[in-house]
Amino acid sequence: MTTKNKLEKKSILEVRGLKTYFYTTDGTVKAVDGVDLDVFPKKTLGIVGESGCGKSITTKSILRLIDYPGRTIEGEVNLKGDTLKDSVDLLKLKQNGTELRQIRGGRISMIFQEPMTSFSPIHTIGNQIIEAIRLHSKLGKSEALEFAEDWLIRVGMSNPSQRLKQYAFELSGGQRQRAMIAMALCTNPDILIADEPTTALDVTTQAQVLDLLKEMQEKNGMSIIMITHDLGVIAELADDVSVMYLGKVVESGTIRQVFKNPKHPYTQALLSSIPSLATGHRERLPILTGTIPHPQARPAGCPFNPRCKDFIEGTCEVSFPNQEIIEEGHLVNCHLYNK
């Protein structure tokens, strides 16, 4: 098998060789260590993996939102335009420059994991949504206010005119999440990054939020990058999926390819731990033994080798496996398939 995948589909966002390291007094933390991703127009890419695998840092790296002592040291983040001239590598733009600020919130918006800490505590919800609208449009203040209220209505917020006057701490978790979705979508982005958008929400509100994202995607034709550890959410929403482990993508493909025919032992372990209707009464679910190591204690070779049921002594702990193509679009990094 060859190691280069020839995709027929044209991506809107192409990430290649992305590396983001944190330089601490205790050593270098390789939080993202050579990630490749493809996001396609009007499609949803799910990024899954346990906590600490680098999912959130990957998307924050795309938007250049890494704080000190972190630094993106290598890679390309190519945001495609209508023509080659309109395309841009975000990593080559000036940090916090005008062009990058226009892309953030304009062409790419983000729903952060915890709205309570993402909203300013000293400004009303309305002020923050209006600021986003005016930054990426030519609307006046009164027009932006009407537009903000309209978006709160679209996301199902009750009494929107009153909510615009309130602060984040005055809203419930579901209301804050809806307000953040409204702020992310009001600029009509090409790509929406949703980082654990249903974390800490009750089941009913989770379903409402997910339905809302699907509805907005269909209406606006945007692409979505969905970050979650919930494989059920990915199965429901995503078209494509990338499985991350300790800063690397170990398997990627369409939902059908990865969920129906998982190849990497880590993907297999994650999927086998999900209960289903076929699970017998009192039947013990398989578990993924061990824990993900700290990035500073990264194992040599394949990072999953200490937990792998298919460990090959003398190989897995020696080198990181090459990328192999299982079928068109389905990629895996595992020594079981290296020939």
Side-chain angles (χ1 to χ4, degrees):
M1 285 185 271
T2 61
T3 58
K4 186 175 182 181
N5 183 35
K6 296 181 179 179
L7 294 167
E8 294 181 357
K9 297 183 290 184
K10 183 179 179 181
S11 61
I12 187 174
L13 182 71
E14 181 184 82
V15 178
R16 293 291 180 267
L18 185 65
K19 293 184 179 181
T20 297
Y21 294 175
F22 287 78
Y23 298 93
T24 71
T25 55
D26 296 325
T28 301
V29 177
K30 298 180 180 180
V32 178
D33 196 26
V35 164
D36 293 349
L37 297 172
D38 285 285
V39 181
F40 297 102
K42 303 179 183 179
K43 301 293 183 181
T44 297
L45 169 67
I47 304 178
V48 302
E50 296 167 282
S51 297
C53 285
K55 305 184 298 296
S56 295
I57 296 298
T58 296
T59 51
K60 287 183 178 180
S61 299
I62 289 172
L63 286 175
R64 307 280 300 279
L65 294 175
I66 301 300
D67 295 325
Y68 178 85
R71 184 157 55 92
T72 299
I73 63 166
E74 192 175 307
E76 297 179 2
V77 178
N78 295 310
L79 179 61
K80 308 294 184 63
D82 294 332
T83 66
L84 186 61
K85 184 179 179 180
D86 297 328
S87 300
V88 60
D89 181 354
L90 302 188
L91 298 188
K92 292 183 178 179
L93 298 181
K94 183 179 180 181
Q95 183 70 30
N96 294 321
T98 302
E99 189 173 0
L100 186 57
R101 289 201 307 271
Q102 287 297 323
I103 289 172
R104 290 189 195 131
R107 292 196 63 191
I108 306 177
S109 286
M110 186 165 184
I111 301 172
F112 293 92
Q113 186 168 353
E114 179 42 66
M116 186 62 189
T117 57
S118 301
F119 278 117
S120 167
I122 61 173
H123 298 95
T124 65
I125 294 296
N127 283 340
Q128 294 174 75
I129 297 176
I130 289 169
E131 181 182 11
I133 293 170
R134 297 194 68 189
L135 182 63
H136 299 286
S137 72
K138 297 180 180 179
L139 295 180
K141 190 171 182 179
S142 60
E143 294 172 309
L145 175 61
E146 293 180 9
F147 198 53
E149 186 172 340
D150 179 60
W151 265 104
L152 288 188
I153 293 172
R154 292 194 205 185
V155 299
M157 185 79 83
S158 61
N159 198 3
S161 59
Q162 178 62 30
R163 300 292 176 244
L164 288 172
K165 302 173 185 177
Q166 293 180 304
Y167 296 87
F169 67 85
E170 297 181 283
L171 305 181
S172 69
Q175 288 171 333
R176 283 194 295 268
Q177 198 75 310
R178 289 174 185 274
M180 174 149 285
I181 291 172
M183 188 162 68
L185 295 180
C186 66
T187 58
N188 194 27
D190 295 327
I191 301 171
L192 174 69
I193 298 174
D195 188 356
E196 299 280 7
T198 59
T199 295
L201 299 180
D202 61 80
V203 175
T204 301
T205 307
Q206 284 184 27
Q208 291 173 345
V209 168
L210 295 178
D211 287 343
L212 176 63
L213 291 180
K214 287 190 291 186
E215 180 184 347
M216 293 297 103
Q217 183 179 38
E218 291 173 1
K219 286 183 177 180
N220 299 343
M222 67 184 176
S223 304
I224 297 177
I225 302 175
M226 174 71 69
I227 305 169
T228 182
H229 61 274
D230 190 332
L231 296 179
V233 169
I234 292 299
E236 180 181 354
L237 286 184
D239 301 286
D240 305 289
V241 61
S242 291
V243 182
M244 286 192 67
Y245 188 81
L246 209 59
K248 293 181 178 291
V249 174
V250 296
E251 185 167 2
S252 61
T254 66
I255 282 293
R256 179 191 62 80
Q257 289 171 332
V258 175
F259 277 43
K260 294 292 185 181
N261 187 28
K263 291 299 183 181
H264 198 282
Y266 180 57
T267 311
Q268 294 169 355
L270 289 177
L271 291 172
S272 66
S273 66
I274 302 175
S276 70
L277 294 176
T279 304
H281 182 58
R282 295 184 178 179
E283 182 179 339
R284 189 180 295 274
L285 287 169
I287 61 172
L288 177 55
T289 58
T291 58
I292 184 169
H294 191 279
Q296 285 180 316
R298 180 188 299 273
C302 173
F304 188 61
N305 81 78
R307 306 171 70 187
C308 185
K309 63 180 176 59
D310 298 313
F311 174 75
I312 304 172
E313 188 174 355
T315 299
C316 292
E317 78 279 27
V318 174
S319 63
F320 186 77
N322 295 325
Q323 186 181 81
E324 299 292 341
I325 301 175
I326 303 304
E327 62 175 304
E328 183 68 26
H330 189 181
L331 309 177
V332 65
N333 290 81
C334 182
H335 285 297
L336 292 173
Y337 309 98
N338 288 168
K339 295 181 180 179

